[in-house]
Amino acid sequence: MTAFRTLDDAGSLKGKRVLLRVDVNVPMESGRVTDATRIERVVPTIREIADGGGRVILLAHFGRPKGKREPKDSLEPVVPALTEALGRPVAFADDCVGEAATAAVAALKDGDVLLLENTRYHAGEEKNDPAFVAALAENGDVYVNEAFSAAHRAHASTEGLARKLPAFAGRLMQAELDALTKGLEAPKRPVIAIVGGAKVSSKIDLLQNLVAKVDMLVIGGGMANTFLHAQGKAVGKSLCERDLAETATRILKAAEAANCRVILPVDAVIAREFKANAPSQTVSVDAVPEDAMILDAGPASVAEIDAAIDEAATLVWNGPLGAFELTPFDAATVAAARHAAERTKAGQLVSVAGGGDTVAALNHAGAGEAFSYVSTAGGAFLEWLEGKALPGVEALRAKG
């Protein structure tokens, strides 16, 4: 694997204007940040650069203003939360290019921090327009990308700048790339992937890529029903994409050809209503009644998944095994997540997980903190798992 340029390769940043791309696209309510997790995760890199005498100029997007100046998408309300998290003042400029940005950058002293206004206020950001890239680059000597979550976009502030200025991965980006490399690019084997969620249609590329890369593939959630249907099993009123039976069969054949063992549910927790605490029972997947729906994998399936995790040295997880938002249909997800967490804590498993529902499910299980790495970068994490090159990452690869 080609290495990535990181802050360790950047040398002294004292006196340099460092354009630092961050993801502070945080939830807001009444002009206040309600969850500062993303801000807290970029604090170490900001501090490292500032403490080394660099002049930190933060670039970020917020919302989807599509090249127009929308007051609701201003980054200014993020400043108090940034200031609090950093424990030092953060200046703000009401544009990311032009006179306002240039004047604010010129006023910086070594160790100062400045947040520029939403890059997406300019149409050139999402178009990766060379003129806009040049305008951004005028205010920087060095570029650092700390926003893996936006690395699958070839935007001016994620890819264009990395080609224009000396470019490096920030510490959070570095940790993400290290974790993903250990998960799929250069993993310790055997590798097991757990893929769940509602629909096969949204994860066809992912499944096709994984069967060629992992030793065991657990398929759970609503998407497992499509595979069971493809095998001729009745799934009652369960969520099932019957029109994708051929696709499911093709994936199973590809797995067999690649010597990848596919683990599907052998038993299921069923109910007649999709609601919390609905009357439920556990049945074999060969005996799902016509008027019932599968809402979780059963205990025999969990035992099989846990045994497979025991065989593995590396786990990659994306998507829950059942309707984890509703009790008691969270049981399989919680049990498997806790088992993986225990193996990880014992030093027997490298566990990498990501995707919105996945993060929520692992946190619900109280297992997220014990995993080796949990990515909050939904789209970028998924595209990496699908085997796609991410423009913002490719631009950071070391030459030669």
Side-chain angles (χ1 to χ4, degrees):
M1 180 191 153
T2 311
F4 298 94
R5 299 185 299 273
T6 71
L7 283 174
D8 297 322
D9 306 306
S12 172
L13 295 174
K14 184 172 172 57
K16 292 194 174 167
R17 301 168 303 163
V18 182
L19 290 170
L20 176 60
R21 178 58 161 96
V22 292
D23 180 1
V24 290
N25 202 12
V26 290
M28 309 274 292
E29 209 172 277
S30 307
R32 291 176 65 83
V33 174
T34 55
D35 181 352
T37 306
R38 282 182 166 175
I39 290 171
E40 287 156 7
R41 292 188 87 178
V42 298
V43 162
T45 294
I46 297 173
R47 280 207 185 120
E48 182 179 340
I49 296 168
D51 290 349
R55 302 175 183 194
V56 185
I57 302 147
L58 301 174
L59 293 170
H61 73 277
F62 195 83
R64 299 179 184 276
K66 294 288 175 194
K68 296 193 179 85
R69 193 172 266 272
E70 299 275 2
K72 68 177 173 56
D73 293 322
S74 174
L75 278 166
E76 191 166 10
V78 175
V79 172
L82 258 172
T83 301
E84 187 181 340
L86 276 169
R88 65 182 80 192
V90 176
F92 181 73
D94 70 0
D95 206 344
C96 59
V97 292
E99 288 179 19
T102 304
V105 170
L108 292 176
K109 300 184 185 68
D110 292 1
D112 284 353
V113 181
L114 166 70
L115 174 64
L116 300 182
E117 184 58 283
N118 195 341
T119 55
R120 288 188 185 173
Y121 275 1
H122 296 267
E125 161 71 336
E126 295 191 59
K127 290 176 182 169
N128 202 1
D129 176 46
F132 184 63
V133 172
L136 288 170
E138 276 180 24
N139 289 315
D141 304 303
V142 172
Y143 171 77
V144 177
N145 195 343
E146 191 66 324
F148 179 79
S149 55
H152 58 315
R153 311 282 187 213
H155 290 175
S157 69
T158 59
E159 199 261 358
L161 273 174
R163 305 283 184 193
K164 186 89 173 166
L165 295 173
F168 308 93
R171 296 306 182 195
L172 184 60
M173 173 77 94
Q174 182 182 352
E176 190 102 32
L177 295 175
D178 285 349
L180 293 175
T181 299
K182 284 177 186 162
L184 271 191
E185 285 209 3
K188 206 170 158 192
R189 292 196 174 273
V191 183
I192 183 170
I194 295 177
V195 181
K199 294 183 175 182
V200 174
S201 52
S202 61
K203 297 192 178 178
I204 292 172
D205 290 349
L206 171 58
L207 293 169
Q208 287 175 334
N209 186 48
L210 287 178
V211 294
K213 287 192 169 182
V214 305
D215 303 291
M216 296 171 280
L217 173 63
V218 174
I219 299 175
M223 63 197 307
N225 303 333
T226 302
F227 282 84
L228 295 173
H229 166 71
Q231 292 181 331
K233 299 186 191 302
V235 294
K237 291 186 174 177
S238 308
L239 177 66
C240 178
E241 293 173 288
R242 287 172 168 78
D243 58 326
L244 288 180
E246 272 185 41
T247 303
T249 302
R250 193 169 68 244
I251 289 167
L252 291 172
K253 283 181 179 166
E256 193 178 348
N259 207 20
C260 167
R261 172 155 58 101
V262 176
I263 298 165
L264 286 164
V266 290
D267 61 345
V269 180
I270 60 164
R272 268 80 181 174
E273 292 177 279
F274 186 79
K275 68 175 189 181
N277 304 309
S280 61
Q281 64 188 113
T282 301
V283 299
S284 162
V285 291
D286 293 309
V288 176
E290 278 183 28
D291 64 340
M293 59 186 109
I294 298 171
L295 294 180
D296 199 14
S301 302
V302 173
E304 202 172 317
I305 292 166
D306 285 354
I309 291 171
D310 289 344
E311 288 177 45
T314 302
L315 163 68
V316 178
W317 189 325
N318 175 258
L321 297 173
F324 79 97
E325 312 93 330
L326 309 174
T327 52
F329 311 111
D330 57 345
T333 302
V334 168
R338 288 179 180 169
H339 188 72
E342 288 303 319
R343 296 279 297 170
T344 305
K345 279 195 278 193
Q348 294 160 325
L349 186 70
V350 172
S351 51
V352 180
D357 279 355
T358 315
V359 176
L362 296 183
N363 289 341
H364 171 72
E369 286 189 10
F371 269 56
S372 308
Y373 195 82
V374 177
S375 171
T376 55
F381 181 80
L382 204 53
E383 288 199 18
W384 181 290
L385 288 190
E386 288 169 357
K388 294 175 182 171
L390 309 185
V393 169
E394 294 305 309
L396 299 174
R397 285 193 188 273
K399 306 288 191 285

